[in-house]
Amino acid sequence: MPVRDVERVAILPFENLTGDASADWLARGFPAILASQWAGSKSMHAFPAASARDAYANRATRLLHGYLRRDTGAGRLLVASLEDLASVRSVSRFEIPAGNWFEAARRLASDVDPSARPFPVSRPELIPALLEARTPALAEAVAKDPSFAAAHLALVRQLGTAGQRAEALETARRALAAKLPAIEEAEMRLVISALENDLPGRRKAAESLAALRPSDADIAVGAALLATNTGDQTKAVALFEGAQRSDPGNADLWNQAGYAAAYAGDFDKARSMIGRYRAMLPASANPLDSLGDVHFRFGRLKEAEQLYLDAYQTSPTFGGGLALWKAALAAHLAGDAKAAATHAARFLEQREKAGDPTAPLRRARWEYLSGNRDAALARLANLSGPLPALLAAAWRADVSGAGSFAKPEQKAAYALELLLRRRFQEAEPLLREIKATPNREISDKAGFLLAGALLELGRKQEAAPVLAYWPIPDSDPDPLFETLALPRIAQWKRALR
């Protein structure tokens, strides 16, 4: 039988074979109670599943199913089987007297995993209110039993979803005052911080919850994404690695972790993780594209170019053929104008044949980026809309060294305008503000522009660590950044040599 760090246990609805309709709710009740009791396990992640198909879709490694039936005499018996899905073999079978169904669930949980915790409720007869999931029933349940942690959480979430923010926060704080168990307290603090739009609080609560639920990959991923968007890529990598331990069959985790490692400056780990992603999806273009991004980030531009071409060869329609555009950028920045022109021409021809309405604007962008500025501006003159107008104004300002194309409230564009006009001291605080944006890609771009401003101000030591890298090309590139910032980043990098 396979040995795994963490078993992913799908719990199917339990059947009620007692003939007593009042026990029908236990079909959903048992899976919810058991999953909660195993929430802190280091060796298994349990989750309710509607069917075996649902279990497989969620990469379950084991399946728990069972039923409640009458025993000889007047009693009831809880019968459950735990099966390994890879070997299609039974792991364990349980038969537990169920005169008290709540005690039977507790016994089953501890028999499967001795680390199981008690389900946090003092009055088990209130559990149907949790399954009913109606606000009045939940409110009544927590009023009758303040220790009913799951009902507190469900009620706060429902109030928040309904837009009743003040009521949700008041209810959440009352719940915390009732001394929730550690797991539910962390979950509640996560909900509160989301309601209060408190990003540092959300991150702290998410990481606490990930530590308390070490086998739940989804929670680790949520914490990792918060770390990523608040600039702590090293912590994000560690959290993604925890998620991989719990859900190694989730290919996307390896891709996300690879990007986090790239942003953290660890080329070998990034390449290794995305290499694992590629091994899991050998027919997909995306792993090759991701590897191209990693090599681009670390200045391995010719290797990035080839990986983008390999991605395009694998699937010419992947991302609308954008891998060719990325290959053109990589070749252009590597100084291979001929290869860059070839890749860009192929991409633009593909987009024009596909009837892409943005193809003329794309062609103008490439003309400008590759030095044919007059042709680019002439092409823009024939295009209508706010984006062509913005680009035309920005490019004219770039060519002439004068003019304005952005208002101060258009922070990213205005910061770029300040750089073009060499107003580096004014640009610095604005770029620091943008860099603090809780979005990895926006923050990263601002970081490169800030490094350029610092370099121009003579602060080479502050600029150099950032300019050791390249910004990863976006799947939907910002034309201002692409045509105006990338060439300057190349200049700044050359100035550091």
Side-chain angles (χ1 to χ4, degrees):
M1 200 169 295
V3 177
R4 310 177 182 96
D5 288 339
V6 174
E7 296 291 352
R8 295 178 58 80
V9 181
I11 312 169
L12 296 183
F14 277 55
E15 295 182 82
N16 176 23
L17 305 181
T18 65
D20 179 3
S22 68
D24 284 348
W25 69 272
L26 290 170
R28 289 190 301 129
F30 271 130
I33 294 166
L34 291 168
S36 175
Q37 290 180 106
W38 291 320
S41 174
K42 294 180 180 179
S43 60
M44 62 184 289
H45 169 57
F47 57 94
S51 64
R53 177 179 293 182
D54 188 26
Y56 280 107
N58 285 281
R59 298 172 301 283
T61 59
R62 290 185 172 180
L63 193 67
L64 181 70
H65 57 93
Y67 55 88
L68 196 65
R69 67 170 174 82
R70 289 195 178 278
D71 195 8
T72 51
R76 292 186 295 188
L77 194 68
L78 174 63
V79 181
S81 294
L82 183 64
E83 297 177 4
D84 186 85
L85 293 177
S87 61
V88 198
R89 292 174 56 188
S90 175
V91 177
S92 302
R93 178 180 168 83
F94 308 90
E95 293 190 3
I96 301 171
N100 180 329
W101 57 264
F102 188 64
E103 175 62 19
R106 187 200 64 75
R107 281 190 53 191
L108 176 58
S110 61
D111 285 350
V112 173
D113 184 345
S115 73
R117 64 181 191 140
F119 185 76
V121 67
S122 297
R123 296 180 58 180
E125 70 273 13
L126 297 174
I127 292 176
L130 179 64
L131 304 177
E132 188 179 342
R134 289 191 308 109
T135 299
L138 290 168
E140 181 180 356
V142 297
K144 291 179 177 179
D145 183 358
S147 72
F148 195 177
H152 278 295
L153 277 165
L155 177 58
V156 171
R157 287 177 174 135
Q158 283 204 356
L159 290 170
T161 301
Q164 297 173 261
R165 180 176 173 275
E167 294 89 338
L169 285 170
E170 181 183 351
T171 303
R173 292 188 178 110
R174 282 201 308 268
L176 288 178
K179 303 296 183 186
L180 300 176
I183 288 175
E184 283 75 15
E185 179 181 345
E187 288 189 75
M188 191 66 79
R189 293 193 185 282
L190 184 58
V191 173
I192 289 172
S193 57
L195 288 168
E196 293 181 332
N197 199 26
D198 173 10
L199 187 59
R202 281 181 65 196
R203 181 180 165 192
K204 181 179 179 181
E207 290 180 12
S208 294
L209 187 58
L212 291 164
R213 300 190 62 168
S215 297
D216 192 323
D218 291 340
I219 289 172
V221 168
L225 293 175
L226 286 167
T228 283
N229 286 326
T230 50
D232 192 345
Q233 307 306 326
T234 301
K235 182 64 175 180
V237 172
L239 287 162
F240 276 125
E241 288 176 324
Q244 289 165 348
R245 171 183 168 274
S246 304
D247 192 7
N250 185 343
D252 190 54
L253 284 182
W254 296 93
N255 193 41
Q256 290 180 295
Y259 274 99
Y263 280 99
D266 191 334
F267 174 75
D268 290 337
K269 181 169 282 190
R271 184 173 59 176
S272 173
M273 287 185 168
I274 296 180
R276 175 75 176 268
Y277 173 53
R278 184 183 179 188
M280 296 171 79
L281 298 175
S284 172
N286 197 55
L288 291 163
D289 184 73
S290 297
L291 282 170
D293 287 347
V294 168
H295 283 77
F296 193 106
R297 178 74 175 181
F298 287 86
R300 304 185 181 208
L301 297 173
K302 293 304 292 181
E303 294 166 86
E305 175 192 356
Q306 186 57 55
L307 285 161
Y308 290 140
L309 293 175
D310 291 345
Y312 178 78
Q313 186 66 32
T314 300
S315 175
T317 59
F318 170 74
L322 191 65
L324 273 178
W325 183 263
K326 291 181 173 183
L329 285 178
H332 172 72
L333 294 170
D336 190 342
K338 182 178 179 180
T342 299
H343 305 329
R346 289 177 69 194
F347 172 76
L348 293 167
E349 181 183 3
Q350 180 188 34
R351 299 321 304 152
E352 288 164 353
K353 284 183 178 179
D356 183 352
T358 69
L361 182 59
R362 282 274 194 184
R363 188 171 287 280
R365 287 158 60 178
W366 182 256
E367 288 169 336
Y368 194 86
L369 186 63
S370 58
N372 195 354
R373 295 180 170 185
D374 290 341
L377 286 164
R379 192 177 302 279
L380 280 186
N382 296 318
L383 301 177
S384 60
L387 183 55
L390 172 64
L391 282 176
W395 291 352
R396 283 194 294 267
D398 183 34
V399 171
S400 67
S404 177
F405 58 88
K407 298 177 181 178
E409 58 267 26
Q410 298 169 297
K411 293 181 180 181
Y414 188 64
L416 191 52
E417 179 179 314
L418 292 175
L419 291 178
L420 296 186
R421 295 165 71 178
R422 303 191 64 78
R423 291 162 58 180
F424 302 117
Q425 287 184 322
E426 289 179 65
E428 181 186 348
L430 179 55
L431 286 166
R432 289 192 185 280
E433 179 186 345
I434 299 170
K435 188 176 183 299
T437 301
N439 177 292
R440 181 175 65 189
E441 285 68 34
I442 292 173
S443 176
D444 191 61
K445 287 179 185 176
F448 279 98
L449 298 181
L450 175 61
L454 295 175
L455 182 64
E456 297 283 5
L457 291 168
R459 291 151 67 180
K460 181 177 178 179
Q461 286 187 325
E462 293 177 69
V466 176
L467 293 173
Y469 303 99
W470 285 97
I472 291 174
D474 288 343
S475 56
D476 183 19
D478 171 4
L480 277 179
F481 187 87
E482 184 180 69
T483 57
L484 298 179
L486 270 183
R488 281 164 176 78
I489 292 170
Q491 292 173 12
W492 293 328
K493 288 171 72 70
R494 286 194 293 271
L496 285 171
R497 291 174 186 166

